Every structure is written in C-alpha cells, then in structure tokens.
Amino acid sequence: MAPVKRKSLDESKSARPEKKQKASVSSTKSVVLAEEPVFPRGGSSILTPLEQKQIHIQATSDVLFEQSTGRKPATNEYEYGENESDQSDQSSGARQKTKRKKKSQKAQKGKLEEAAKEPNIRIERLSYKRLVPGSLVLGQVSYINRYDIALSLPDNLTGYVPLTSISDGITQKIEALVAEDEDEDEAEAAGDRTDSKEINLQSYFSVGQYLRAYVTSTQEGTESKRKGRKHIELSINPRAANTGLSKSEVVVNSMVQASVVSVEDHGLIMNLGIEDTTIRGFMSTRELGQIDVTKIEEGTVFLCLVTGTSSNGKIIKLSADSQRAGNIKKSHFLTDALTVDAFLPGTAVEVLLSDVNPLGIAGKVMGLLNATADLIHSGGAASGKELDKKYSTGSKIKGRIICTFPSTEEKKVCISVLDHVISLKSLTVTPKFSTTAGPPTDMLPLSTILEQVRVVKVEPGMGLFVDVGVKGLRGFVHISRVADAKVESLPESTGPYKLGSVHKARIIGYNPMDGLFIVSLERKIIDEPFLRFEDVNVGQVVKGTIEKIMVNETGVSGMLVGIAEGISGLVLPIHMADVLLQHPERKFKEGSTVTARVLSTDPEKRQLRLTLKKSLVNTDAEVWDSYEKLKPGMQAPGTLISILPSGAVVQFYSSVRGFLPVSEMSESYIQDPKQHFRIGQVVKVHVVSINPTEERMMISCKDPAIFGSSQREALKELEIGSVVGGTVSEKLGGEIIVELSGGIKALLPFEHLSDGSSQKCITLAKKIRVNQVLNDLLVLNKSDSKPLVKLTSKPSLVKASKDGRLLKTFEDVQEGEEVAGYIQSITPTGIFVRFATELTGLLLKTHLPEESKQLPDFGMRQNESISPKVLSADHEQRRFLLTLKPVTESDLRSNSSSKCASVPKPTLSNPVDGVSTTLDDYIVGKLTKARITSIKATQLNVLLADNVPGRVDVSETFDGWDEIKHTKRPLKAFHVKQILPVRVLGFHDSRNHRFLPVSHRKTTQVFELTAKTSLQTQAELDMLTLEKVEVGSIWPVFVNNISDDCVWVNLSPIVRGRIRTMDVSSDVSLLKDLSKNFPVGSALKAKVISIDTSHNRLELSARSDGSALPPTLNDVSKGMILPGRVTKVTERQVMVQLNNTLSGVVGLTDLADDYSKANPSAYQKNQIVRVCVRDVDLPNKRVALSMRPSKVLSSSLPVEDPEFTLISELNVNDIIKGFVKNVTDAGLFVNIGTNITAFVKVSDLSDLFLKDWKSHFEIDRLVKGRITVADAQANRLQMSLKQSHVDKDYQPPLTFADMTIGKVVTGKVRKVADFGVFVV
C-alpha cells in the first residue's frame, strides 16, 4: 500500500469550505455542535431548566440556518430571555467541547419545525452585560449627590453621571473654579479674594426628571466590602446623548437632549451637541411647563421635544413641558424619519405587534425598526395579567423608547408602555384616607419589613412578582434574593414559592423607571437591623460587634463597631467608657459584642459616630439633635469636648453644641475649670438660652430646682417694662449676666447696650467690668416657668418706657403713633420689629424709604434700634403693619376702610343672564343663569359670563330621589351649552376643593351654584348643613370617592358622609366590584345611622331595609347571614371583617360543604363574601363564621361533608373526612368540625408499614377515615385511616402464601437488569 500523504495546515484550511459546501447539499448530514459544562459537585447540571431550554432553542435555530443557507450561523452574543442583573452576576463555570452526536432524521425534522415557530425578534431584558459602552438609555433622576447624579435605569439598573459628564457649560464652570483655586494664594496676598461658588447640582436637576444617557463604561466597583459590585458610568452631555443625530434626523416629535447656553428674555438658547455647530435650539418660556425660568442656570440639561424648525432650518424649536411631550394619544410621537438613527431613547413611537409571548412583546416601528418590550415594561408585571390577554398580534400600540442595543447586528430598540414612562412623569400613589398623591416610597419606605407578601407571578428563571399591599404597585424578588441558599429554579405550581404563596419580606430598593419595589425574601436580609446608613437614627441604641481596634503611635485611636452588614461606626477614645481608659485594648477585643448609642450620622459620607458610655447609652433623656426643638429649661446629658478658662464646650447629638460658662458650672465658685472637669466627662445640663438661627446655646450645670421661693417671689413681682438696676456677675460670648435684686439672673446682650452702631456696643461692653453696677435697665421679657429675664439698656426703649409709650400688648397699638423697638430679623420682603413681651410688627419693603430699598438688608442690622409709625392694625388677626414713610390722614382713612389695596371692579363680558355687569353682582342668594361647558361625573362646569366659571355639584341638581332617572349617571339628562337657572351659594376653591362664602375670593375659586327647583323659589337661601341632618332621615346621596372599606358620598357640597362597604347594598354580589356597580357620581338612597357633629362625621346605610350591620358583638346572634370583607387569608383559615370592631374566622371545615373544595387561597384580600354566624362567644368576645353554601345560600343544597358541632353527633363506624390539625410522635390529630378533633394512632394510619410515616402526612391535608371510638362523656374521639376500614371493596395486599402458579397479578416494575425485570 502506498503511503498516505498528510495534508499541510494550509491545505486543510482551504479544503474546509469545499467540505462545508458539500454538506449543504445533503440536508440529512448536518451536525449540531453541543457543549457540555464541567460536572459540578453531585453530578447535576449547573444550568437551570430554563437555561437548558434556551440553549436547546438556540441550537435548533442554528441547525435551521445552516440547513437553509449552507453557512455557519454567526455567534449570537445574547441568549433569548436571558436575565442578568448587577444583583446576581455569577460565572457559569468552565465548559468544554464534546464529540458531535448524530441525530436521527425524524427527530431532526421535528426540531426544525419547532425552531421555525420561534419569533424572529428576540425579546431581551436590559442587563449589566447588555449595557455595553456606546448604549443609549432613558433614565430617571433618583438621587442628586454632591459630585454626581444617580439615574434609575430600566430593569433595576442604576447608573451614575459624574460632574464632568453633564454639559459643556458645567465643565467650563469647573475649569474656572480650578483656576481660581490655583490663584488662591495670590488673591489672599492681594487681599481681594472672593469666595468661589461650589456647583450645587440640586439647582440644575430635580428628582424624577427624565434624561437620556450615554454609557461610557461598565466596570467592577471597588468600594466597600461587597465584591462584584457593578458600576455603570454615564454621560448626559448632549454631544454624547445625541450620538448619531445629524440635522436631517432632528425632526418634529423626536426627542433630543439639549443644554442651556444662555437665558434670554423670551426663552433659552440651547446646545444640541450635534456636529453641525450652526444648528442651535430655542425654547420659549411658554414651553417650560412647571419649570421656573428664573431658577434655570447655564449648563442645565433637558430632554426636549422637537416642535418645529425655523424657516432657514438653523433653529430647532424645543419644548421641555413634560405634560405636552407625554400626551401621545393623538400626536407627539414620531411618525416620519429619514433614517432609523432618529429613534433614540425618550422618543415616543407607534409599534405594530408581531409577537406576544409570556416574556414580552415584539413588533416593528414604521415597518423597519425592531422593537421589543420585556415583561416589566410591557405592563405584565404590574397588572398581573397574561400578555396574550392584554395584547394581540397585529394590533398597534404606542410606547416610548428606553434603550438601544448597539452591539446587535440588526438595529433594535427596547420600548416601554408603562403609563408613567409614556407620560414622562414620576409614578405616584394616593394613600388611604388622603387625596394627596406622593411617591411610593412615602407609603413603603426603603428597609420596611412586610409581614406578608403574596406571590402573584412566577418567572422561573428570573424571579417572583409579589403584592406588597400598595394598590397598583408590585414588588420584584430576584431569584438570587429568594432565599439565603442558592435557588436553581422557581416552579410556578409547586414548591414553597409557588403562585399564591405568602412570605415575609423586606423592601431593599425602588426603581422609579420600572415602577417596582425591589424585595428580598432572604432571612439574613430581613433579620438585619439596618440596610442603609439612612436607616440609622441619631440617638438610637444599637448592638454591634467590634470589627477593628485602631492603634497609632499614641495608643488606641478608636474602634470600628459593625452594627449591620456593611454599616460600621467609629467610637473615639473619649466615648469608650465613662472613665478614661489607659489600656482600652484590654477591655475590648475584636469580635466581642457591645451596646452603643448613635451620636451622629452622615449618609452621604457613609459615616457613623457611636458612644459606649453607659451614662449616655442608658439615659432616658430626650435626644438633642436639633437646635430648633430645644427650649430653655430642657435637661439632658452631654460630653465635654473642650475646656476653656471662661467655660467649656459640651457636645450632644449631631452637630448640637452648647457653651457652659464658669458661673454655671456649680453653685460654688470655680477658679480653674480644668481642676474640676476633664475632656470626655458626661455632665447633666439644662438650657439657659438658645438662638436656633445662629446655632448658639448657653447651658448650665446648676440645679434649676434650687431657684428658691424668695427668688420666685421676686421674679413674680418683676414687671415687664419696668426700669431696674443690677450687678454684673459675668461676661461671656455676646451677653452680660446681670444679677438683679432678689438673686434673679438676667441676660443683657451686647447689641442692647446702645442705640448706636454695632462697634459702639462692643466698645461699651469692653468697658463694663464684673461686679459693676448698671442702672436704667429695661425689662423686655421674662418667663415665670423658666427663671429667665431679658434686659435692654437702649436709650430709645428706656425713654419710651418712662414716657409710657412702650408697646407691651396689642391693645397698646394705635394707628399713626410712632413707636420705639428693635429689629428682630430681616427678610427679602420686609423687617420684623420687636417690642416688649416679644410683641412683633411687620415693616414691609414697600413702606421703606426708596434709598433703603436698594441697600443690602435695607441698610439695617439685627437688634438695631428703630422708631417706625403704626400704619394699620388688624385686631381680628392681632397683627399690625409699620412704616418709615410719612403717614397722612388719608393713609389712615384708607387703611381703616380696607387693609389691602382696592382692586378695580372689572365689567363682565357676555353675561348669560344678560343683566349682571360686575362680579360684585353675584352675591349669595342671587338668581341668575349659567351655560353648561362640560359635564363631569360629580358636577356640571358652567360659565356665568366670559371667564367667570362656576360649578353645580351633582347634589345640587335634584330635589328628590324620584327626579333621578339614571342612578349610575345622574347627570346624563343634561347636555353641553344647555342654559340652567341657578342660584349663587358661595365659592368653590378649585385647589383644595373647599367650599367658601363669597367674601373669600381667590383666583383659584369658582362660583358654587345650585340648580334645585325648590331653592329657586325660596325667599331666603337655606343650605343643608350637618346640624340639620337627623338620625333616621333618608337622603339621595352621590358617590364622591371609593376606598377599600367604605364609600364616601355627598349630601350637599359641604355635607359629606361615609357608607361602609357592607352597607352599600343588600345584594352582596354588587359589593364585589364597587367601582363598576357604584361608580363615582352614581346616586344612592341612604339612611342616616349616626352623626358626630364635634368630629364632623356622618355614617349612612344604603341597604334596602335602611339598617346597618351589627355595630357590636351583642347585636350578633347565631344564624345571622351577613356580608363581610376578607382581611386576611392563610393556608388554614380566612379572616372576615363584619365592621370596624367585629371580625370572625372561617376555618377549613366551614369553607365548603365538600371538603375537597375547601381552598382558602381562592379568596382575595378585600373581597366581599356572605357569611353565616355559626357561634357567638361573648365572654371571650369571639364570633365563629361559616361560608358553607348550605348556610349562606340555601339549606336545600347538597352537603357532601356534614357539619359536626358535638361528639355525640358521631357514631362508631361513621366514615367522615377531616383536615390534619397536628402531627405528633403518637399519631395524628384530625379536625372534624369546630372544636371537634379526632385522634389517629400510628397503627391506624395505613394497612402497609410506613417507615417514615410523618413524611406522608402534613398539616391541613384532607383525610378520610372511620370512627372507632366516640365517647362524648369522656370527650374522646378516635378514628382509623386504614384503607381496609374505609373502602368496602378493599382487597388486602398479596402475601407469599397467596401466590400460586398460573395466577394473574398486577405489579409495578421496580428494577430492570440484564437478566430480567424485578416486579413488586
């Protein structure tokens, strides 16, 4: 045989295409490459069933591609349905190639057909791995930090925008600040240094603002101890955010990002960041929406809607009004674009759906661009509905683009159809019993522990969607957050996390883009005392573990104490113990547990300061963490941090500090404070004086109780406004301590020594010596409860007191009189002037001389003497105005007749009644006419004249119940442009929905009118008030609002009542959907049950008999059938609420007449059900309920499992069913009925031997058995579960003795061997 030549490497490579081409001819010889992972410990696969299915689908798709084209398919970087997040980024392990396996032609053909059914557009969730540099994504500002901005991104991702990646304008400001810092030394030497402004991002952005971001990098974070923490860095600079946009792509209804270049009179000049620098944007001030143009700074970035272009195409007209851009119902979505590059995140589009599956929806934009929406952003997560029931293939929907995938071969975008994303608003919720909507985190703050969350949707490879108890909101539990141990998959119908299961959970985050709470079911997370630094409160007592003892050249410099995972606090040496420790390392060891109290927190810097002092940890005193809540006389312990010759500085909590003068350290004389006190010592002090504005406080160690009876008597006799003398006992800070007669201590501030300048006051203070006697001191104010007196020696005030012109009470105020006082505070709109007894008047800016208005602080200072004149006094509000301008008699007359400037009375245009001429014509009781402009559910909006709106409440349109023809839509009988005869009742404030009399007129108010025929003919208007409503009276009422447990109704615009859910109707079937059967605006006939005028409460009932449900337990009797509301559902019972104070339990044996249909999970919280009172236990205040159909519907219904209440009702050999109540070593306890339990011995469990019998029975399992013992006197009941005792056709198992040759038996294959089969 001739030797076979081996092909060279080049020859073999060149030969491969021929071989591949040959293979493409024969479709039956294609081979699928498969990869097997390295076997993990235990031999099982490391892939989840979902991942295995995805790989299988991808492999068959590649086979189809190879068979049809003859080419090897390109490597797809992303797998279908892959779910990767920065919470659980785990490596999949090494994989090695295996030998190719041949597939049979039949199996291969079936897989090709299966692969052909797969959608062409892959639905992908945004993840850390898919968010590659160059991606564009829509985000929402969630946090504004000092040096960066946090953007919430779709699918629970968060990115950060550094200060230098915002806009060119801000970058230039930063460079200017850096240049100023470099020249700092030169500026200081020249003496003209100006304080440089730090860029405050709070003035540039707002939380909830939508922005388009460009991904600059994705990398592993290095901060903290958490390994594998991902960090996404973004840029919102228009040059990056508008990547790929040219002049031709900027079309109407597209969204572009722009930064403010300059603020002009009529609008903003904007930079679009596109290559053509001649193109600029302009935004009119009318297109800013709710944004205040005066607060906009250069460099601010907005996501704008393109509204048009100038005639030459050089100016792009923009709008930042989110209300306009978010209204895409008929317009403002992109319908015309030259290229697909115009479709960037933030732009609204219309999508033609081509695929709807459980993972999301997919379709085409304008027939060219692929668009997908995952499960969250298609609305399937929040609604809980199946997507195929919500969407249909071939339909058109509108959405907003939220991200792009630049690494895919074919351009594709992700969209969101969530309402808040489409409308570019933040998701808000309205709490119960409130009309004000707020962010979801107000109802469920982060770190909140939820006792029960119910699984409403299971995504096996992704996680769980749970009901967190907030209507309209869901929580998401990632698969890595389900349990402490690793969970491979999540079956939907089995296992502990199946659909409908209830768990304890904790809120660990919230993503405003997704509208989902991030939830964890991990026990370690739930048990953590704190998750964030924000959760730690100042003054809170915590337990922690010493993590590290820090040592330097001087010894122990501090300790780090961990109070939770990732949260540690610093304990300084002076706070390690009440006494100074020479060797702290001997007392404290790393790993030991300590109890500490939090002194201060700084969440932004992630810093905590703790103390281990027992005197601070164990105290019950109030925590002093703010100057605003402190008042003279309050007591608390503090720590000395500095000792001076004149006193000491005492530190409390946060940044609160107080000065302790030497004279207040003790009742005895102290010469050197360092001889009596030491740094770190805890002292108990009380507040002497405090100035929250300047954050200054003086404290004392003296016992306030020592203030004797003689001193109290002297303080009582001291009159405010009297002139006294005293002796200087001490000078400290900016105050002088003066001792008056009787031993009373008083304060004399430096600024109150003279009427002159501040420098003159300081000069006089320097001349005053201790023990010097001061005369002509005026008592300005005193506090009898706290021994505190304030003095002044201002000559103007002393002279006014001697002349009897000093203002001490409001009754002393006389218009036109000149008064002497001093400036308390200065605001941009005016000056507050104070007199004796803290009486204060207001000097407005308009009443200052013209030359003073232009000066800083109007040329005045705090505590400066001033002598204005009284301009006007409001005795009702006890307020008065002052002026420094000359006051004439005409000014006083105008002020006495009107406290505000008169407003010209505008004439009416096109009054409907043709008679009225001005607004003053519409007085209370006036009969006029109005034209209907629109009809709402609860009111008619009308016009009395042009620009004179009014409204007719639905309760003011009908005189009686008989006039209402359509109870669900009472106002259906009216039509737009209809003219009605009406009568004026008053005003309706459209902002706070309050009814006001006509005298309270505001710009936001509309006229409150009535269209009742009976009120048109009355001589005097008689409005319905709560005082006129009587118990037992029947009224037509109109639904105003619907909550979970009641319906709010209106009897009139000012009389509102409540009907409890169970009292809305006698038909329980109507109560299951109140919003549908009793919509807002619908009419009900209700009877008044109770009235509480002191609390303005009115209770009604709309039941046919006019009665309400039993209010107390005494009113409930056995056999009553009542409606109830489900408040709690567990695996073994349903809790039903009958009213606010009465609830009952329905057990498994009372749920159904057939125990096999008893399923508590079939009921939902707040569901309305019909129950029958089975028993009432008055001593224990309990009521037992039943929902058996034979009890609540009809007694003639068939009963499969009868109800037993006594053992005497049972006989031996009765076959009954029951639910396992308890499993013990001795046997089972089975619940037969209420308070009836039967015992089953272990020997009576089965005819067969059960090695581990407990594993065959679980609590609440339904079992069937025969009664073996029924002794009512001994209260003893036993039963057997053996099949031989229950089944009359029972055949005992075969024994070896029963086996004969030729006998035919039935068995089960247990094992297959080479030599045969084992059958049992």
Side-chain angles (χ1 to χ4, degrees), residues 716-728:
K716 186 177 181 180
E717 294 178 356
L718 186 65
E719 294 183 1
I720 297 176
S722 60
V723 180
V724 298
T727 304
V728 177

PDB file of all heavy atoms in Angstrom, residues 716-728:
ATOM      1  N   LYS A 716     -41.788  87.038  90.272  1.00  0.00           N
ATOM      2  CA  LYS A 716     -43.214  87.288  90.064  1.00  0.00           C
ATOM      3  C   LYS A 716     -43.536  88.769  90.180  1.00  0.00           C
ATOM      4  O   LYS A 716     -44.389  89.299  89.460  1.00  0.00           O
ATOM      5  CB  LYS A 716     -44.012  86.467  91.087  1.00  0.00           C
ATOM      6  CG  LYS A 716     -45.518  86.521  90.883  1.00  0.00           C
ATOM      7  CD  LYS A 716     -46.227  85.609  91.887  1.00  0.00           C
ATOM      8  CE  LYS A 716     -47.734  85.642  91.670  1.00  0.00           C
ATOM      9  NZ  LYS A 716     -48.421  84.759  92.652  1.00  0.00           N
ATOM     10  N   GLU A 717     -42.864  89.462  91.101  1.00  0.00           N
ATOM     11  CA  GLU A 717     -43.116  90.887  91.293  1.00  0.00           C
ATOM     12  C   GLU A 717     -42.451  91.738  90.220  1.00  0.00           C
ATOM     13  O   GLU A 717     -42.822  92.905  90.045  1.00  0.00           O
ATOM     14  CB  GLU A 717     -42.612  91.315  92.678  1.00  0.00           C
ATOM     15  CG  GLU A 717     -43.390  90.664  93.823  1.00  0.00           C
ATOM     16  CD  GLU A 717     -42.845  91.061  95.171  1.00  0.00           C
ATOM     17  OE1 GLU A 717     -41.810  91.787  95.201  1.00  0.00           O
ATOM     18  OE2 GLU A 717     -43.433  90.661  96.193  1.00  0.00           O
ATOM     19  N   LEU A 718     -41.467  91.204  89.502  1.00  0.00           N
ATOM     20  CA  LEU A 718     -40.778  91.959  88.460  1.00  0.00           C
ATOM     21  C   LEU A 718     -41.720  92.168  87.279  1.00  0.00           C
ATOM     22  O   LEU A 718     -42.255  91.210  86.719  1.00  0.00           O
ATOM     23  CB  LEU A 718     -39.519  91.216  88.016  1.00  0.00           C
ATOM     24  CG  LEU A 718     -38.609  91.939  87.026  1.00  0.00           C
ATOM     25  CD1 LEU A 718     -38.003  93.180  87.653  1.00  0.00           C
ATOM     26  CD2 LEU A 718     -37.507  90.998  86.546  1.00  0.00           C
ATOM     27  N   GLU A 719     -41.931  93.428  86.883  1.00  0.00           N
ATOM     28  CA  GLU A 719     -42.874  93.754  85.821  1.00  0.00           C
ATOM     29  C   GLU A 719     -42.133  94.027  84.517  1.00  0.00           C
ATOM     30  O   GLU A 719     -41.074  94.659  84.511  1.00  0.00           O
ATOM     31  CB  GLU A 719     -43.715  94.979  86.195  1.00  0.00           C
ATOM     32  CG  GLU A 719     -44.631  94.758  87.374  1.00  0.00           C
ATOM     33  CD  GLU A 719     -45.481  95.991  87.652  1.00  0.00           C
ATOM     34  OE1 GLU A 719     -45.328  96.982  86.894  1.00  0.00           O
ATOM     35  OE2 GLU A 719     -46.280  95.944  88.599  1.00  0.00           O
ATOM     36  N   ILE A 720     -42.722  93.524  83.427  1.00  0.00           N
ATOM     37  CA  ILE A 720     -42.170  93.806  82.100  1.00  0.00           C
ATOM     38  C   ILE A 720     -42.410  95.284  81.786  1.00  0.00           C
ATOM     39  O   ILE A 720     -43.518  95.791  81.955  1.00  0.00           O
ATOM     40  CB  ILE A 720     -42.818  92.901  81.041  1.00  0.00           C
ATOM     41  CG1 ILE A 720     -42.499  91.437  81.321  1.00  0.00           C
ATOM     42  CG2 ILE A 720     -42.367  93.272  79.636  1.00  0.00           C
ATOM     43  CD1 ILE A 720     -43.176  90.466  80.377  1.00  0.00           C
ATOM     44  N   GLY A 721     -41.356  95.943  81.301  1.00  0.00           N
ATOM     45  CA  GLY A 721     -41.450  97.375  81.001  1.00  0.00           C
ATOM     46  C   GLY A 721     -40.916  98.239  82.120  1.00  0.00           C
ATOM     47  O   GLY A 721     -40.758  99.457  81.925  1.00  0.00           O
ATOM     48  N   SER A 722     -40.611  97.649  83.282  1.00  0.00           N
ATOM     49  CA  SER A 722     -40.059  98.429  84.394  1.00  0.00           C
ATOM     50  C   SER A 722     -38.570  98.645  84.196  1.00  0.00           C
ATOM     51  O   SER A 722     -37.883  97.847  83.556  1.00  0.00           O
ATOM     52  CB  SER A 722     -40.331  97.714  85.720  1.00  0.00           C
ATOM     53  OG  SER A 722     -39.717  96.423  85.722  1.00  0.00           O
ATOM     54  N   VAL A 723     -38.049  99.733  84.743  1.00  0.00           N
ATOM     55  CA  VAL A 723     -36.629 100.064  84.665  1.00  0.00           C
ATOM     56  C   VAL A 723     -35.981  99.692  85.993  1.00  0.00           C
ATOM     57  O   VAL A 723     -36.427 100.142  87.060  1.00  0.00           O
ATOM     58  CB  VAL A 723     -36.419 101.560  84.357  1.00  0.00           C
ATOM     59  CG1 VAL A 723     -34.932 101.893  84.282  1.00  0.00           C
ATOM     60  CG2 VAL A 723     -37.103 101.923  83.047  1.00  0.00           C
ATOM     61  N   VAL A 724     -34.944  98.849  85.943  1.00  0.00           N
ATOM     62  CA  VAL A 724     -34.313  98.315  87.147  1.00  0.00           C
ATOM     63  C   VAL A 724     -32.805  98.519  87.052  1.00  0.00           C
ATOM     64  O   VAL A 724     -32.266  98.985  86.045  1.00  0.00           O
ATOM     65  CB  VAL A 724     -34.643  96.816  87.314  1.00  0.00           C
ATOM     66  CG1 VAL A 724     -36.137  96.602  87.492  1.00  0.00           C
ATOM     67  CG2 VAL A 724     -34.137  96.021  86.112  1.00  0.00           C
ATOM     68  N   GLY A 725     -32.125  98.119  88.139  1.00  0.00           N
ATOM     69  CA  GLY A 725     -30.675  98.129  88.178  1.00  0.00           C
ATOM     70  C   GLY A 725     -30.168  96.791  88.627  1.00  0.00           C
ATOM     71  O   GLY A 725     -30.897  95.996  89.233  1.00  0.00           O
ATOM     72  N   GLY A 726     -28.886  96.491  88.354  1.00  0.00           N
ATOM     73  CA  GLY A 726     -28.315  95.205  88.719  1.00  0.00           C
ATOM     74  C   GLY A 726     -26.806  95.232  88.706  1.00  0.00           C
ATOM     75  O   GLY A 726     -26.176  96.217  88.295  1.00  0.00           O
ATOM     76  N   THR A 727     -26.237  94.113  89.136  1.00  0.00           N
ATOM     77  CA  THR A 727     -24.781  93.978  89.244  1.00  0.00           C
ATOM     78  C   THR A 727     -24.302  92.958  88.233  1.00  0.00           C
ATOM     79  O   THR A 727     -24.879  91.861  88.111  1.00  0.00           O
ATOM     80  CB  THR A 727     -24.377  93.525  90.654  1.00  0.00           C
ATOM     81  OG1 THR A 727     -24.909  94.457  91.602  1.00  0.00           O
ATOM     82  CG2 THR A 727     -22.862  93.468  90.792  1.00  0.00           C
ATOM     83  N   VAL A 728     -23.234  93.301  87.505  1.00  0.00           N
ATOM     84  CA  VAL A 728     -22.665  92.393  86.501  1.00  0.00           C
ATOM     85  C   VAL A 728     -21.973  91.248  87.226  1.00  0.00           C
ATOM     86  O   VAL A 728     -21.055  91.467  88.027  1.00  0.00           O
ATOM     87  CB  VAL A 728     -21.670  93.130  85.595  1.00  0.00           C
ATOM     88  CG1 VAL A 728     -21.037  92.159  84.611  1.00  0.00           C
ATOM     89  CG2 VAL A 728     -22.355  94.271  84.865  1.00  0.00           C
TER      90      VAL A 728
END
